[in-house]
Amino acid sequence: MKVSYYHLVMPMKVPFTTSFGSSTDKDVLVFELENDGIKAYSECTTNENPFYGPEDNGTALHIIKDYLIKEVKLLPEPKEFMDLVSNVKGNNMAKAAMEMLLYDYHAKKNKKTLIQYMDRRSRGYANVGVSIGMDRIELTLNRIQEAIDRKYKRIKVKIKKGKEMEILSAVRDHFPHIPLSVDANSDYSEKDFDTLKQLDRFDLEYIEQPLYHDDIYFHSKLARQIGTPLCLDESIVSPELAKTAMEMNACSIINIKPGRVGGLYNSLKIAEIVREFEGHCWVGGMLETGIGRSHNMSLASLELVDYPGDTSPNDKYFEKDVVDNPFFMKDGTITPNNEEGIGVHVNMERMKMYETEQGSLL
Ligand code: OSB
Ligand code: MG
């Protein structure tokens, strides 16, 4: 058996700006597991800094090398793997990278697609929304027009404190009726409730993660005072916290990112908790390459996932992706791959082109 990692730096078509910063390159770790003629892949959703959440590429690689890889060696199924590494607290993105590698491996070993291996009902396609970073307002408006022309089912724009009114007034002036949401990436505090309440006038589907990255309580307080539904992203790092948030009515919607919650097994649990509470969920993104996007797309096609996600096709980000069979969107929907496992054909020449470091873990 062999497990390798590839550290890639891929130039992005346009910089992506959120309230916590801008990225011009996708700086990412990709993993490859080879055993018995099977090649499985995954991608870690960390990047070069800990500005979205607490992990970065360096911490993830360290946790994987020093704690997780020895459990991967026994090739456990994903649930078993999560039990084996439960003594490692947090570090969800590192865990998810290994867990999703095992999902791809076991699906392929069982000659199943990832959807079949997850064993949940799929609607056969994912409804696709788009996440648009902050930029000069004319550029944002152009990007929204392009997204409408491409038939995205929901448009999400990034906002930050002090810029929300300018951005949303311009967007709603030009596009009064589009399904619109905003993502603040935790830029506001409990002193900003008055500002946030003013967003009610923009008829948003929801406001994503307005407050602190690790908060549930203040979100529950805000939810009682505001008309617009709240969606949590950063704060929901486990099925237990998903339940806490739903019980406290801190949100009615959860953005499920497999990386943030420790993998697909926990993602499925969270989707089930949301359903139990009659909430809604969708699958988020971390500007993944075609490899990570493929895990997300299978999850996003499940019936449990009822809202359009941030699962735009690969060509939104990269001129040339690392897979030969990127996703295509038709009428705002994408059909997941139907080959075994995640079903992507990894292009090793492209990987070499972007590689800055490579090493073996097992
Ligand atoms: O909060 O959803 C987020 C990208 C990087 C970090 C955080 C977020 C995002 C996105 C991008 O919104 C979604 C995508 O992959 O297109
Ligand atoms: Mg978000």
Side-chain angles (χ1 to χ4, degrees), residues 123 231 246 252-256 267 270-272 274-275 279-284 300 302-309:
R123 79 173 73 73
C231 170
M246 294 313 267
S252 51
I253 304 156
I254 293 182
N255 165 351
I256 303 179
S267 297
I270 292 172
E272 278 158 359
V274 166
R275 180 57 60 96
H280 306 279
C281 67
W282 50 276
V283 174
L302 300 184
E303 288 181 1
L304 278 170
V305 174
D306 61 341
Y307 273 16

Side-chain angles (χ1 to χ4, degrees), residues 40-155:
Y41 293 91
S42 71
E43 156 175 354
C44 192
T45 54
T46 49
N47 57 34
E48 69 279 21
N49 59 52
F51 299 162
Y52 161 79
E55 301 172 78
D56 71 12
N57 288 336
T59 68
L61 197 54
H62 147 63
I63 293 289
I64 289 167
K65 280 182 178 167
D66 290 356
Y67 298 98
L68 307 180
I69 198 70
K70 60 175 181 287
E71 307 298 353
V72 174
K73 199 173 182 170
L74 308 169
L75 294 171
E77 294 211 39
K79 179 188 179 327
E80 246 181 293
F81 171 75
M82 290 308 279
D83 289 341
L84 288 167
V85 300
S86 63
N87 54 342
V88 177
K89 304 299 185 292
N91 293 287
N92 282 346
M93 292 181 173
K95 284 180 188 168
M98 295 297 102
E99 195 252 21
M100 292 200 272
L101 191 60
L102 290 166
Y103 256 105
D104 188 29
Y105 173 76
H106 283 286
K108 285 172 174 159
K109 190 163 179 246
N110 286 282
K111 303 202 177 314
K112 290 181 171 176
T113 64
L114 180 59
I115 295 173
Q116 289 164 342
Y117 183 68
M118 284 193 290
D119 199 22
R120 299 295 195 290
R121 287 161 63 98
S122 166
R123 79 173 73 73
Y125 60 88
N127 288 312
V128 184
V130 68
S131 173
I132 298 180
M134 281 181 283
D135 213 320
R136 286 194 358 250
I137 199 71
E138 310 82 63
L139 288 178
T140 301
L141 297 174
N142 288 345
R143 287 189 190 126
I144 294 175
Q145 186 58 55
E146 274 168 37
I148 296 167
D149 296 342
R150 294 190 66 184
K151 301 206 165 62
Y152 276 105
K153 302 219 163 177
R154 178 271 282 142
I155 310 255

